[in-house]
Amino acid sequence: MAEPMTTEADHNAASAAPGTVPPRLRGALLRYRALAYTVGVGLVILTFVGIPLQIWAHNDSVATYVGIAHGYLYLVYLLLVFDLARRARWPIMRIAGVALAGTIPLLGFFVERWVTHRTIAEQ
């Protein structure tokens, strides 16, 4: 049986189907999502494990190490937010909201899902 012939136009139309991420955003969105989860998990550990251990058990090790790691990873998160915002042409208020989501425990997970769905829908 013969293979169906596809042209470059057919391939481009398939890659631009609704619900898919365009190639110019695919890598930036993936990097943002990975760091959003990493920063979110670090902040949850710091807030709900490290700080209580520091206050009640007088054990500073978790808060110290996770806090330092979260701080550096948050800086990388900010760079990735700005990269994704530049590629997706976000307004300044959305950039500020997504950037601040990395500072509030558990909010980063919800904002990551919202950003992913909204970015895909807008493209």
Side-chain angles (χ1 to χ4, degrees), residues 9-54:
D10 293 336
H11 179 66
N12 289 340
S15 66
T20 61
V21 180
R24 68 183 170 85
L25 292 178
R26 190 171 294 133
L29 186 61
L30 182 63
R31 288 187 297 271
Y32 160 75
R33 293 182 70 192
L35 235 336
Y37 278 112
T38 305
V39 168
V41 167
L43 186 58
V44 166
I45 291 170
L46 179 63
T47 303
F48 298 115
V49 177
I51 301 299
L53 278 175
Q54 183 179 18

Side-chain angles (χ1 to χ4, degrees), residues 51-63:
I51 301 299
L53 278 175
Q54 183 179 18
I55 292 170
W56 294 315
H58 305 290
N59 184 347
D60 293 341
S61 61
V62 175

Side-chain angles (χ1 to χ4, degrees), residues 31-112:
R31 288 187 297 271
Y32 160 75
R33 293 182 70 192
L35 235 336
Y37 278 112
T38 305
V39 168
V41 167
L43 186 58
V44 166
I45 291 170
L46 179 63
T47 303
F48 298 115
V49 177
I51 301 299
L53 278 175
Q54 183 179 18
I55 292 170
W56 294 315
H58 305 290
N59 184 347
D60 293 341
S61 61
V62 175
T64 300
Y65 296 121
V66 174
I68 290 171
H70 171 73
Y72 285 119
L73 288 173
Y74 181 72
L75 293 175
V76 177
Y77 169 82
L78 288 177
L79 292 174
L80 294 179
V81 166
F82 290 128
D83 178 46
L84 180 60
R86 181 185 55 84
R87 292 171 191 256
R89 298 179 186 97
W90 289 352
I92 193 72
M93 291 306 290
R94 185 183 303 176
I95 297 169
V98 173
L100 289 175
T103 64
I104 301 170
L106 301 176
L107 183 63
F109 301 114
F110 296 106
V111 171
E112 182 277 326

